[in-house]
Amino acid sequence: MKSEHYIYVVVQGRSAEGSVIISSRRVIRVLVADVNDNAPHFLQSRYQLEVEENNQPGKLLLRVSASDADSGYNSRVTYSLDKHTSTIFNIGPETGQLSVSAVLDREQQGVHTLTVFARDSGSPPLESVATVSIRVLDQNDNAPAFLTPHFIFFIHENVPPFAQVGRVGVTDPDEGENGNTELHVVNSSGPFVVDNTKGTLHTTNNLDRETDDHYELYLLASDHGHPFTLTSAARVTIFVEDINDNQPKVILPSSNSSCQTVSPATIAGTLVTKIYAIDEDLGLNSEITYTVVAPESAQNSSPFRLDSRSGNITVAQQLLQKDLGMHHMFIVVRDGGKPAPLYTTIWVNLLVNESMGPCNLDRVPTWTGTSDLDQTPSKAPICEVEDTRSAQLTLLVGLGMMLVSTCLLMVTIVLYLKQKRKSLQQNRGGHVEENEIPLRLKDKYYSDD
Ligand SMILES: *[C@@H]1O[C@H](CO)[C@@H](O)[C@H](O)[C@H]1NC(C)=O
Ligand SMILES: *[C@@H]1O[C@H](CO)[C@@H](O)[C@H](O)[C@H]1NC(C)=O
Ligand SMILES: *[C@@H]1O[C@H](CO)[C@@H](O)[C@H](O)[C@H]1NC(C)=O
Ligand SMILES: *[C@@H]1O[C@H](CO)[C@@H](O)[C@H](O)[C@H]1NC(C)=O
């Protein structure tokens, strides 16, 4: 506080008369020698500054300053950084100038906090501490980045408009508007838009796999950076998955009234005609099988055989006298769609006649059986087979009655077993396929016949 003191010393005596006589006066100068009893003192204990990223290396950040009330060596201050500080920061020991030797990257570290020491040169030295907090300001130095350069999505056809196709991940590590990205669909071959609030791709229209089974588009991502925006693009391929929405189309024969004459001399195994259908769907949904629903008559098994895969109709056995005349085959053309196949029906008409003249159909036959044809043919009502044309009517009726009673008996047994199984299954929480057992029964009837 005060390094010099002056002491005025006065020597005085008293005369004979008693008056005061000053005989001498002296000034004593007292110099107070310094002891290091003051630590350096920072003008601010906390410095704060902001600096833009991508700075020039070696950039000066700020100057810290501390004063020391002592004198001489005791007041000579040197500055240093905490030894754990990143080596990119340096401080001038005498000047207190803080600088950064590297390029700062906000995306790597947004805030740096440094501890600065000011130490005097006394013995022992005294020191004090200040903190410097550096906030790195963002620049738009990162373009939006897609999770993958090529997105592949699958979507079923016939989904309602605005159905979600998929999520397109895009990120931008910049801050604020510099990292605020917006997506756009560019040169798309189909009806698609982006929902920017969710980052998802949507259809705007119905998709029909039979028209277009895949689409290509590009997504353009742009940020709102200032003074310029950055963009990047990703490719998107959308495959439209098939739904069984097309029923088979019969190409051959061309109509229900088409008819073909077959010579009675045709040997067994000869290809007579062919049924051919197409299905525009894909995979199982387009896999076609052909089945004759009901034999033309129960007692007179058809001399023609239909191959369920190829649609080839061949002569099954040597044609006999009883085979002469018209044969109508009611054929169900089914695809393999799950859970329910789609189907169409066609009549194939074959005339066995030695004259080999043109075959004319006076009327298209009509189907009188079940209209529920979307299951396997063995579901046709076997127990209800009826034909009155035959001379062996009585025999047939007898056989029929036997059959009906057998059917009834079996159905009773089956119902009983099913009931039993159901209660068993219910205990296990299972589910019983409704018509499983009766179907097998009918197959058995066929093979026995
Ligand atoms: C998409 O459009 C851009 C122009 O906007 C064009 O340069 C690019 O070739 C197009 N890409 C395709 C695959 O058509
Ligand atoms: C043939 O007749 C059936 C009904 O008996 C009908 O469902 C089908 O569409 C007809 N096919 C053609 C090609 O006319
Ligand atoms: C069906 O007939 C064609 C001849 O038209 C023959 O090439 C093919 O092998 C036959 N398919 C079957 C399964 O018999
Ligand atoms: C075979 O054809 C001839 C002439 O076209 C006809 O008179 C005859 O009745 C036919 N036979 C049969 C069994 O349909």
Side-chain angles (χ1 to χ4, degrees), residues 18-78:
S19 58
V20 174
I21 308 157
I22 293 173
S23 62
S24 175
R25 63 177 74 198
R26 275 281 159 84
V27 178
I28 303 172
R29 184 171 169 230
V30 180
L31 294 176
V32 183
D34 187 45
V35 163
N36 193 21
D37 57 353
N38 287 280
H41 176 72
F42 278 104
L43 300 182
Q44 277 174 262
S45 65
R46 219 183 141 70
Y47 295 85
Q48 271 175 314
L49 84 155
E50 291 178 339
V51 58
E52 290 226 342
E53 63 175 331
N54 305 318
N55 55 288
Q56 292 281 339
K59 181 184 169 74
L60 286 182
L61 298 176
L62 85 166
R63 198 178 154 188
V64 295
S65 169
S67 58
D68 194 307
D70 293 323
S71 52
Y73 278 106
N74 292 341
S75 72
R76 230 170 87 182
V77 176
T78 56

Side-chain angles (χ1 to χ4, degrees), residues 22 50 55 65 75 82 115 130 135 154 158 160 181 196 198 219 223 243 305 332 352-353 365 375 402 435 449:
I22 293 173
E50 291 178 339
N55 55 288
S65 169
S75 72
D82 182 85
T115 304
R135 198 163 90 82
F154 294 87
N158 303 343
T181 54
N196 268 304
K198 292 186 249 157
L219 285 173
D223 60 31
I243 293 267
R305 173 170 296 142
V332 179
V352 182
N353 192 313
Q375 294 305 310
M402 267 175 66
N435 289 313
D449 193 34

Side-chain angles (χ1 to χ4, degrees), residues 409-426:
L409 180 68
M410 294 310 274
V411 162
T412 318
I413 292 170
V414 162
L415 280 177
Y416 170 71
L417 284 175
K418 221 162 99 174
Q419 203 58 39
K420 235 178 118 176
R421 243 176 66 166
K422 209 175 230 169
S423 52
L424 263 168
Q425 291 268 337
Q426 264 161 5

